[in-house]
Amino acid sequence: GIELEAQWAITDRFSADLSFTYLDAKYNDFPDAGCTAAQAVATPPGTTCVQDLSGRPRPFSPDYSGKLGLQYVHPLPGNLRLLGELGVYFTDDYFLAGDLEPVLIQDSYTKFDARLSLGSADGRWDLSLIGKNLSDEFILNWGSDQPTSPGSYAALIERPRSIAIQGQYRW
């Protein structure tokens, strides 16, 4: 794989950062990998269920992913500053489970986060309006098939779109 990161001070008030990852993560040799729950049910009694994942992708390994961040700082009268930030995160699809269960694939997505802050010019305090996952993407963080209940799956879902107000004071 390869990972690139760059930061650019476009002006004294406007900056950007970029990160990009390309990953070719595959199992070289994994002939005795554990089965999915569906494969285990289809295996005749008394037979060990294994699958060959050699050459297949590894879980949580999208081919590409990255982030573009933009930040703008604007000075205001009264020793105040206004800060605006935008983050765009993107990823290719990837498996969530180590057995490469086909039901548990996180599709590719692009999500947006933003922040608008008013605070002191010295950074001692600020009040922010924060938006996370503004594109309201359905994102699975983890997933597993349930071997004791074939056809059942457990998954953790990332928080949907959220808006928050945050205040900070640094002593």
Side-chain angles (χ1 to χ4, degrees):
I2 187 169
E3 186 171 335
L4 302 169
E5 291 187 20
Q7 294 180 332
W8 181 23
I10 301 166
T11 69
D12 61 336
R13 296 182 186 175
F14 186 53
S15 62
D17 62 271
L18 172 70
S19 64
F20 178 81
T21 301
Y22 171 74
L23 186 61
D24 186 18
K26 294 186 176 16
Y27 291 110
N28 288 333
D29 185 32
F30 199 3
D32 297 322
C35 289
T36 65
Q39 290 169 329
V41 168
T43 301
T47 307
T48 302
C49 182
V50 295
Q51 64 173 323
D52 186 0
L53 295 181
S54 301
R56 301 284 315 274
R58 298 187 59 133
F60 297 101
S61 301
D63 288 341
Y64 63 86
S65 61
K67 176 198 175 222
L68 170 64
L70 301 172
Q71 183 180 56
Y72 182 75
V73 179
H74 185 77
L76 296 172
N79 203 27
L80 298 174
R81 72 175 181 154
L82 185 64
L83 169 68
E85 295 177 304
L86 175 66
V88 181
Y89 304 85
F90 59 92
T91 185
D92 194 14
D93 59 350
Y94 53 89
F95 285 97
L96 294 167
D99 60 10
L100 304 188
E101 167 61 58
V103 172
L104 294 171
I105 295 176
Q106 171 57 57
D107 292 330
S108 60
Y109 64 85
T110 302
K111 84 172 182 173
F112 300 88
D113 293 346
R115 172 189 295 261
L116 185 61
S117 297
L118 175 66
S120 62
D122 63 3
R124 190 164 179 110
W125 66 269
D126 63 44
L127 184 62
S128 301
L129 178 63
I130 302 168
K132 297 281 190 176
N133 193 8
L134 293 172
S135 47
D136 203 22
E137 294 291 327
F138 184 83
I139 302 169
L140 297 171
N141 285 331
W142 173 87
S144 176
D145 44 4
Q146 300 299 300
T148 58
S149 180
S152 297
Y153 304 91
L156 296 176
I157 301 168
E158 191 170 303
R159 182 183 299 184
R161 177 186 306 124
S162 64
I163 308 291
I165 296 175
Q166 173 182 298
Q168 293 186 77
Y169 184 81
R170 295 170 187 87
W171 341 101

